Amino acid sequence: MGKIVDTSGKPLTDEIASIKRDPLQPLFSGLIQPNDDTLATRGQGKGVKLYEEIERDPHVFACLHKRKMAVISRPWEVKPASDSALDMRAAQVVREKLEIINFDVACYALLDAINKGYSVGEIMWAAMNGIAVNEIRPRDQRRFKFGEEYELRLLTPQNMMTGEEMPDKKFIVHSVGAKDGNPYGLGLGSKLFWPVWFKRQGITFWLTRLDKFGSPTAVGKYPSGTLKPDQETLLNALAAISQDAGIAIPDGMVIELLEAAGSGEAGYERMIRYMDEQISYCILGDSSGDKGSGGALASAAITRNEVRLELVQFDSDMLSATLNTTVVKWITDYNVPGAKPPTVWRKIVEPEDIKIRAERDQILFNMGMKPSANYIAENYPGWEVAKLPNKNGASAEFAEAAKPIFSGDALAAQLAIEAAPHWNSVLERIRVIGNNAKSLTSLKDDLIANFGDLSSDDLVKVMAAGFAVADLQGIADVKYENLNTRPSDVQA
């Protein structure tokens, strides 16, 4: 075939590097083949069932379950495509239809693609106040193939080779890790195969050693020239001692118990633990090995119970993209024709360290700043606004439940109030420096240049205040970036 040339001057919309023209991915009977070397070399015709066998390993199952739960434990929301009445109605309908089913259970099943590369769910439509999804049933991936146009084909008893093409708006296919757009994807199973295989081999050898040396081996000795019947008598005696095979050697008919001089259990255990670390690293993004002691072990234990936030975000975004182009769009088409389909997403937010925020707010409060009621309600739910008298008899708003949010003795509180006017002027200078700083590094340098004559303790307080103010300014800029004005969450 000759060179493809575009002489129209318009963008070329035709697909050039299609699967049909891929010499590295030949089609078989018009079907796309999986691009998975592990299945090709070790699968023995099992297909993705090989990866189901990998999940029988308790550590693999626990890590995969943890990674899936890290996604579905996050709240989901449906966002309209625009503020138009029709699009808002579409979002409401989609939300109602997804709430009918157990949406998290359906998502958990589709996340099977993390290990196997792809997953398939069949939508069971029903007439309920329009067209609704009654259920999304997970299906065995081995029952499906993909045609050269990426269409899903179901293998049936009548057609086990190429399968039957499936209707539109009936099946959800979630694919991850695909190379060159291969619809079969490439899951973690292709990476997990070898550490699981080595781990199983290590356990097999370990059990063999335990079986061999767990109890002593009976040894029979007989004098040279012992007749064959006598030798058999000795062997029968050994068999009566143990069900294991005994040995007979010429040298005085004596029975002894042969015990192992040493054992290699520690070596096997280290190898098995190492494989578990590799499995954790592959699935969760951190091996979290039990290395070190004390605080190191505690830190490792915390990490081992977490999934890296970027992995949760990746899994959630990939799944949401699949749902938005399939079931969300189809619900909209059936129930709100003409509307732009909404989108469903999960809120993946790293929880804020309340201790760090409280310490930052305490620094600002001690300098004379007072938080507004809105700030308290948003960041410290459940606390009430109390009136704390200052030196002039005026009142300062702050949070209070059973006691003030920042505990301290009365003397410390009084000192903070007395020092407020001085710190207000310092804070104003810090604000100006913060507004003019181009980076955190320049902010640090400017603070040192302006307050370098202070004592070390006071300079530390100034530096802490500077970074706290910069932090608050950054949060406010992000939160209210689309507004001409923003509420004063923290007032001096």
Side-chain angles (χ1 to χ4, degrees), residues 12 32 41 55 90 95 121 136 139-140 146-147 162 164 226 238 288 305 309 329 357 371 391 404 414 417 429 451:
L12 189 61
I32 301 174
T41 58
E55 288 190 45
R95 187 181 301 107
I136 300 178
R139 299 303 188 190
D140 190 339
F146 294 92
T162 59
E164 302 174 4
T226 301
L238 294 173
S288 303
N305 287 324
L309 192 65
K329 182 178 184 300
R357 183 174 62 196
K391 125 182 205 183
Q414 183 64 28
I417 294 172
R429 292 174 60 190
F451 299 98

Short mmCIF file of all heavy atoms in Angstrom, two decimals, residues 12 32 41 55 90 95 121 136 139-140 146-147 162 164 226 238 288 305 309 329 357 371 391 404 414 417 429 451:
data_model
loop_
_atom_site.label_atom_id
_atom_site.label_comp_id
_atom_site.label_asym_id
_atom_site.label_seq_id
_atom_site.Cartn_x
_atom_site.Cartn_y
_atom_site.Cartn_z
N LEU A 12 -6.85 15.23 9.06
CA LEU A 12 -7.10 13.86 8.63
C LEU A 12 -7.76 13.10 9.77
O LEU A 12 -7.15 12.87 10.82
CB LEU A 12 -5.79 13.18 8.22
CG LEU A 12 -5.92 11.82 7.54
CD1 LEU A 12 -6.70 11.93 6.25
CD2 LEU A 12 -4.54 11.24 7.25
N ILE A 32 -9.35 -9.76 17.94
CA ILE A 32 -8.16 -9.22 18.58
C ILE A 32 -7.70 -10.20 19.65
O ILE A 32 -8.51 -10.79 20.36
CB ILE A 32 -8.47 -7.85 19.20
CG1 ILE A 32 -8.96 -6.87 18.13
CG2 ILE A 32 -7.24 -7.27 19.91
CD1 ILE A 32 -9.41 -5.54 18.69
N THR A 41 2.80 -17.34 27.75
CA THR A 41 3.88 -18.27 28.07
C THR A 41 3.56 -19.18 29.24
O THR A 41 4.07 -20.29 29.33
CB THR A 41 5.17 -17.50 28.37
OG1 THR A 41 4.94 -16.60 29.47
CG2 THR A 41 5.61 -16.70 27.15
N GLU A 55 -5.22 -14.92 42.85
CA GLU A 55 -5.99 -14.31 43.93
C GLU A 55 -6.27 -15.28 45.07
O GLU A 55 -6.74 -14.87 46.13
CB GLU A 55 -7.32 -13.76 43.39
CG GLU A 55 -7.15 -12.52 42.54
CD GLU A 55 -8.48 -11.86 42.22
OE1 GLU A 55 -9.31 -11.72 43.15
OE2 GLU A 55 -8.71 -11.50 41.06
N ALA A 90 -31.28 15.78 33.82
CA ALA A 90 -30.56 14.55 33.48
C ALA A 90 -29.70 14.07 34.65
O ALA A 90 -29.66 12.87 34.95
CB ALA A 90 -29.69 14.78 32.25
N ARG A 95 -28.79 10.19 38.98
CA ARG A 95 -28.55 9.95 40.40
C ARG A 95 -29.61 9.02 40.98
O ARG A 95 -29.29 8.07 41.72
CB ARG A 95 -28.55 11.29 41.14
CG ARG A 95 -28.14 11.18 42.61
CD ARG A 95 -28.19 12.54 43.29
NE ARG A 95 -27.32 13.51 42.65
CZ ARG A 95 -27.76 14.53 41.89
NH1 ARG A 95 -29.06 14.69 41.69
NH2 ARG A 95 -26.91 15.37 41.34
N GLY A 121 -19.55 -6.25 32.69
CA GLY A 121 -20.79 -6.24 33.45
C GLY A 121 -21.98 -6.12 32.52
O GLY A 121 -21.97 -5.30 31.59
N ILE A 136 -26.45 -4.60 37.69
CA ILE A 136 -25.29 -4.77 36.80
C ILE A 136 -24.60 -6.06 37.22
O ILE A 136 -23.97 -6.12 38.29
CB ILE A 136 -24.32 -3.57 36.89
CG1 ILE A 136 -25.02 -2.28 36.48
CG2 ILE A 136 -23.10 -3.81 36.00
CD1 ILE A 136 -24.15 -1.04 36.59
N ARG A 139 -19.73 -10.59 34.72
CA ARG A 139 -19.62 -11.77 33.88
C ARG A 139 -18.17 -12.22 33.78
O ARG A 139 -17.25 -11.42 33.87
CB ARG A 139 -20.16 -11.48 32.46
CG ARG A 139 -21.64 -11.06 32.41
CD ARG A 139 -22.54 -12.09 33.02
NE ARG A 139 -23.97 -11.79 32.82
CZ ARG A 139 -24.95 -12.42 33.42
NH1 ARG A 139 -24.70 -13.39 34.30
NH2 ARG A 139 -26.21 -12.10 33.17
N ASP A 140 -17.99 -13.54 33.59
CA ASP A 140 -16.66 -14.12 33.46
C ASP A 140 -16.01 -13.60 32.18
O ASP A 140 -16.56 -13.75 31.08
CB ASP A 140 -16.77 -15.65 33.42
CG ASP A 140 -15.42 -16.35 33.52
OD1 ASP A 140 -14.39 -15.70 33.21
OD2 ASP A 140 -15.39 -17.53 33.91
N PHE A 146 -13.08 -9.89 21.45
CA PHE A 146 -13.27 -8.59 20.81
C PHE A 146 -12.94 -8.70 19.33
O PHE A 146 -11.91 -9.26 18.95
CB PHE A 146 -12.36 -7.53 21.46
CG PHE A 146 -12.73 -7.22 22.89
CD1 PHE A 146 -12.12 -7.89 23.93
CD2 PHE A 146 -13.68 -6.26 23.18
CE1 PHE A 146 -12.46 -7.62 25.25
CE2 PHE A 146 -14.02 -5.98 24.50
CZ PHE A 146 -13.41 -6.66 25.53
N GLY A 147 -13.86 -8.15 18.50
CA GLY A 147 -13.64 -8.13 17.06
C GLY A 147 -12.69 -7.04 16.65
O GLY A 147 -12.27 -6.20 17.46
N THR A 162 -15.63 -17.59 17.25
CA THR A 162 -15.65 -16.13 17.10
C THR A 162 -16.72 -15.47 17.95
O THR A 162 -16.68 -14.25 18.15
CB THR A 162 -15.88 -15.76 15.63
OG1 THR A 162 -17.13 -16.32 15.18
CG2 THR A 162 -14.75 -16.30 14.75
N GLU A 164 -20.72 -14.36 19.32
CA GLU A 164 -21.82 -13.58 18.76
C GLU A 164 -21.67 -12.12 19.18
O GLU A 164 -21.38 -11.83 20.33
CB GLU A 164 -23.17 -14.11 19.23
CG GLU A 164 -23.41 -15.57 18.88
CD GLU A 164 -24.69 -16.10 19.50
OE1 GLU A 164 -25.42 -15.30 20.14
OE2 GLU A 164 -24.96 -17.31 19.35
N THR A 226 24.23 -60.87 56.53
CA THR A 226 22.87 -61.16 56.98
C THR A 226 22.04 -61.63 55.79
O THR A 226 22.07 -61.03 54.71
CB THR A 226 22.24 -59.91 57.60
OG1 THR A 226 23.03 -59.47 58.70
CG2 THR A 226 20.82 -60.20 58.08
N LEU A 238 11.38 -51.53 60.90
CA LEU A 238 11.47 -50.08 60.66
C LEU A 238 10.12 -49.51 60.23
O LEU A 238 9.74 -48.43 60.66
CB LEU A 238 12.52 -49.80 59.59
CG LEU A 238 13.98 -50.14 59.94
CD1 LEU A 238 14.87 -49.96 58.73
CD2 LEU A 238 14.46 -49.26 61.09
N SER A 288 6.23 -1.82 52.32
CA SER A 288 5.92 -1.73 53.76
C SER A 288 6.50 -2.90 54.54
O SER A 288 5.85 -3.52 55.36
CB SER A 288 4.40 -1.69 53.97
OG SER A 288 3.84 -0.63 53.27
N ASN A 305 -1.50 -0.32 55.99
CA ASN A 305 -2.95 -0.27 56.04
C ASN A 305 -3.51 0.83 55.15
O ASN A 305 -4.68 1.14 55.22
CB ASN A 305 -3.42 -0.06 57.48
CG ASN A 305 -3.25 -1.30 58.31
OD1 ASN A 305 -3.42 -2.41 57.82
ND2 ASN A 305 -2.89 -1.13 59.57
N LEU A 309 -2.50 7.47 47.68
CA LEU A 309 -3.61 8.29 47.23
C LEU A 309 -3.67 8.37 45.71
O LEU A 309 -4.76 8.37 45.13
CB LEU A 309 -3.49 9.69 47.84
CG LEU A 309 -4.72 10.58 47.70
CD1 LEU A 309 -5.88 10.01 48.50
CD2 LEU A 309 -4.41 12.00 48.15
N LYS A 329 -24.33 7.62 30.29
CA LYS A 329 -24.80 8.17 29.00
C LYS A 329 -26.07 7.47 28.54
O LYS A 329 -27.01 8.11 28.04
CB LYS A 329 -23.70 8.02 27.95
CG LYS A 329 -24.07 8.59 26.58
CD LYS A 329 -22.92 8.43 25.61
CE LYS A 329 -23.24 9.09 24.27
NZ LYS A 329 -24.43 8.50 23.64
N ARG A 357 -3.54 21.64 61.61
CA ARG A 357 -4.40 22.81 61.45
C ARG A 357 -4.62 23.51 62.78
O ARG A 357 -4.60 24.75 62.86
CB ARG A 357 -5.74 22.39 60.84
CG ARG A 357 -6.66 23.59 60.58
CD ARG A 357 -7.91 23.17 59.85
NE ARG A 357 -8.69 22.24 60.64
CZ ARG A 357 -9.67 21.48 60.13
NH1 ARG A 357 -9.92 21.53 58.84
NH2 ARG A 357 -10.35 20.65 60.91
N PRO A 371 -10.89 33.81 64.28
CA PRO A 371 -11.59 33.18 63.16
C PRO A 371 -13.05 33.57 63.14
O PRO A 371 -13.66 33.83 64.18
CB PRO A 371 -11.42 31.68 63.45
CG PRO A 371 -11.33 31.61 64.93
CD PRO A 371 -10.62 32.86 65.37
N LYS A 391 -8.70 42.90 76.71
CA LYS A 391 -8.25 43.87 77.71
C LYS A 391 -9.12 45.12 77.73
O LYS A 391 -9.24 45.78 78.75
CB LYS A 391 -6.78 44.19 77.40
CG LYS A 391 -6.42 45.57 77.22
CD LYS A 391 -4.95 45.73 76.89
CE LYS A 391 -4.53 47.09 77.31
NZ LYS A 391 -3.17 47.40 76.98
N PRO A 404 -12.33 25.86 75.78
CA PRO A 404 -11.83 26.51 74.57
C PRO A 404 -11.05 25.51 73.73
O PRO A 404 -10.44 24.58 74.25
CB PRO A 404 -10.91 27.63 75.12
CG PRO A 404 -11.43 27.89 76.49
CD PRO A 404 -11.92 26.58 77.00
N GLN A 414 -3.91 35.51 79.13
CA GLN A 414 -3.81 36.95 79.38
C GLN A 414 -2.62 37.54 78.65
O GLN A 414 -2.69 38.62 78.07
CB GLN A 414 -3.69 37.21 80.88
CG GLN A 414 -3.65 38.69 81.26
CD GLN A 414 -4.95 39.38 80.89
OE1 GLN A 414 -6.00 38.75 80.86
NE2 GLN A 414 -4.87 40.67 80.59
N ILE A 417 -3.45 38.10 75.06
CA ILE A 417 -4.29 39.27 74.86
C ILE A 417 -3.47 40.55 74.94
O ILE A 417 -3.61 41.47 74.14
CB ILE A 417 -5.44 39.27 75.88
CG1 ILE A 417 -6.38 38.08 75.61
CG2 ILE A 417 -6.21 40.58 75.84
CD1 ILE A 417 -7.44 37.88 76.67
N ARG A 429 3.05 43.43 58.74
CA ARG A 429 4.29 43.37 57.95
C ARG A 429 4.44 42.00 57.30
O ARG A 429 4.87 41.90 56.14
CB ARG A 429 5.49 43.66 58.86
CG ARG A 429 5.55 45.09 59.37
CD ARG A 429 6.68 45.27 60.38
NE ARG A 429 7.98 44.96 59.79
CZ ARG A 429 9.11 44.85 60.50
NH1 ARG A 429 9.06 45.01 61.83
NH2 ARG A 429 10.24 44.57 59.89
N PHE A 451 13.26 40.42 59.84
CA PHE A 451 13.16 40.13 61.27
C PHE A 451 14.40 39.41 61.79
O PHE A 451 14.34 38.76 62.82
CB PHE A 451 11.93 39.27 61.55
CG PHE A 451 10.63 39.93 61.18
CD1 PHE A 451 10.02 39.63 59.97
CD2 PHE A 451 10.02 40.85 62.02
CE1 PHE A 451 8.82 40.21 59.60
CE2 PHE A 451 8.83 41.45 61.66
CZ PHE A 451 8.22 41.14 60.45
#
